[in-house]
């Protein structure tokens, strides 16, 4: 399969048929076992990097190459890829996935952090760094400490909003009823998945998120109450479950609560 795709990409490259190259790369990256992307097949793709002119195609090419087990961290390719990110040649999800593959092949988190900070605007860099899900970026230069704090805050907001979104999906009947058709994302495709994945059952479970100031101790108590009810197979339509919504949000705007971190 890989041999046929590489052959297709090579011919399309000679014909300058970018559409075929993109389709073949997507097939290779998303539907093939890239353990087989090695030897001459791998070398052929790497040799194409300077030949591909279309920026989004080049980004996709690099994203495919770095997922090969034969790829070893390469500063030149990393630099090229981050430049492509900076001009919008790929999206946040693919960039985070690709940069994660770079770290798996030898690049350091610190190297990735500095590359993104120096080549992207702050908002875009924060979005990618948060999507990567890393907590340790190595030694940060003094002049970037404020930015690093911004990343940490964004990571906490992401974690907090995910917890509360799952909470809403479980305790609010309308969220549960319409989650599958809503444009809002609750982190789970349906309520049962959120229930099965609910991790906050005892105070011990919530210690870390309280210490990291993801939730307040009072909010953590409500999360644990929900965990206890779920563990006892409480009907999701019961008054006990419904009361937790009011207890958690009180009379505040839910969005204000979601996006306000504990002090």
């Amino acid at each position: 399969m890989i041999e046929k795709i590489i052959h297709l990409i090579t011919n399309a490259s000679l014909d300058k048929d970018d559409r075929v190259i993109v389709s073949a790369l997507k097939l290779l990256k998303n539907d093939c076992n890239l353990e087989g992307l090695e030897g001459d097949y791998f070398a052929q793709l790497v040799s194409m990097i300077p030949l591909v002119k279309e920026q989004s195609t080049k980004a996709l090419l690099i994203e495919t190459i770095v997922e090969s087990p034969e790829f070893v961290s390469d500063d030149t390719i990393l630099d090229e890829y981050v430049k492509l990110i900076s001009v919008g040649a790929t999206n946040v999800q693919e960039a985070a996935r690709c940069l994660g593959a770079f770290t798996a092949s030898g690049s350091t988190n610190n190297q990735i952090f500095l590359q993104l900070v120096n080549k992207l605007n702050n908002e875009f860099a924060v979005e990618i760094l948060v999507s990567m899900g890393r907590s340790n970026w190595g030694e940060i230069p003094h002049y970037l400490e404020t930015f690093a704090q911004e990343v940490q805050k964004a990571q906490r907001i992401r974690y907090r909003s995910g917890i509360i979104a799952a909470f809403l999906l479980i305790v609010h009947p309308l969220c549960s009823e319409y989650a599958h058709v809503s444009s809002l994302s609750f982190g789970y495709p349906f309520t049962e998945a959120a229930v099965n994945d609910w991790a906050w059952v005892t105070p011990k479970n919530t210690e870390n998120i309280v210490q990291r100031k993801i939730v307040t101790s009072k909010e953590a108590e409500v999360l644990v109450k929900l965990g206890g009810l779920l563990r006892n197979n409480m009907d999701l339509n019961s008054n006990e479950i419904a009361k937790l919504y009011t207890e958690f949000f009180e009379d505040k705007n839910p969005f204000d609560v979601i996006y306000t971190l504990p002090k």
Side-chain angles (χ1 to χ4, degrees):
M1 180 70 166
I2 288 180
E3 180 181 3
K4 291 180 180 179
I5 295 174
I6 297 296
H7 184 68
L8 179 63
I9 291 171
T10 302
N11 288 340
S13 178
L14 293 173
D15 295 336
K16 294 183 169 48
D17 191 338
D18 196 68
R19 181 183 58 82
V20 172
I21 295 174
V22 169
S23 297
L25 284 172
K26 286 181 177 179
L27 180 64
L28 182 61
K29 179 187 175 194
N30 299 318
D31 296 316
C32 292
N33 180 1
L34 292 182
E35 293 289 329
L37 183 58
E38 55 186 3
D40 289 342
Y41 302 144
F42 176 78
Q44 281 181 266
L45 286 189
V46 173
S47 69
M48 286 180 59
I49 293 176
L51 303 177
V52 173
K53 303 304 178 186
E54 175 60 41
Q55 292 174 327
S56 60
T57 305
K58 183 173 288 193
L60 177 58
L61 176 61
I62 293 174
E63 288 165 356
T64 306
I65 288 169
V66 299
E67 294 199 12
S68 164
E70 195 153 315
F71 179 73
V72 177
S73 180
D74 184 301
D75 290 350
T76 302
I77 295 178
L78 174 60
D79 186 66
E80 177 79 12
Y81 184 67
V82 175
K83 287 177 182 175
L84 291 167
I85 296 174
S86 72
V87 296
T90 189
N91 61 43
V92 171
Q93 291 73 26
E94 294 300 337
R97 172 178 166 178
C98 182
L99 293 171
F102 268 104
T103 61
S105 67
S107 296
T108 66
N109 287 337
N110 184 259
Q111 194 176 1
I112 300 293
F113 183 94
L114 295 177
Q115 279 270 8
L116 294 179
V117 172
N118 290 326
K119 292 189 172 70
L120 275 58
N121 67 61
N122 281 7
E123 186 175 339
F124 197 15
V126 167
E127 190 174 0
I128 293 174
L129 290 168
V130 170
S131 294
M132 287 183 69
R134 309 299 168 91
S135 58
N136 183 3
W137 299 106
E139 188 173 345
I140 304 298
H142 178 70
Y143 73 95
L144 289 176
E145 287 179 358
T146 299
F147 176 78
Q149 291 170 2
E150 185 181 342
V151 173
Q152 291 171 350
K153 179 180 179 180
Q155 289 175 318
R156 289 166 59 212
I157 285 287
R158 185 185 182 95
Y159 195 4
R160 176 178 174 83
S161 61
I163 292 171
I164 299 177
F167 175 80
L168 278 170
L169 183 59
I170 296 170
V171 305
H172 198 293
L174 291 179
C175 290
S176 178
E177 183 176 357
Y178 295 113
H180 65 295
V181 295
S182 173
S183 294
L184 295 175
S185 173
F186 294 94
Y188 294 91
F190 44 83
T191 306
E192 289 76 9
V195 169
N196 292 336
D197 203 36
W198 191 254
W200 325 112
V201 180
T202 69
K204 184 73 174 175
N205 299 143
T206 59
E207 279 183 3
N208 181 259
I209 57 175
V210 171
Q211 290 171 359
R212 291 175 57 194
K213 296 186 177 180
I214 306 297
V215 299
T216 66
S217 56
K218 184 177 180 181
E219 289 169 340
E221 289 175 7
V222 180
L223 300 181
V224 171
K225 284 183 184 179
L226 175 59
L229 293 174
L230 295 178
R231 185 171 55 182
N232 292 324
N233 297 314
M234 177 66 68
D235 183 353
L236 296 184
N237 295 314
S238 68
N239 288 332
E240 287 84 350
I241 295 281
K243 287 177 182 176
L244 295 181
Y245 175 89
T246 303
E247 189 173 347
F248 191 93
F249 292 105
E250 299 176 326
D251 293 323
K252 300 172 186 173
N253 183 312
F255 289 103
D256 289 338
V257 174
I258 290 170
Y259 297 113
T260 301
L261 289 167
K263 295 181 180 179

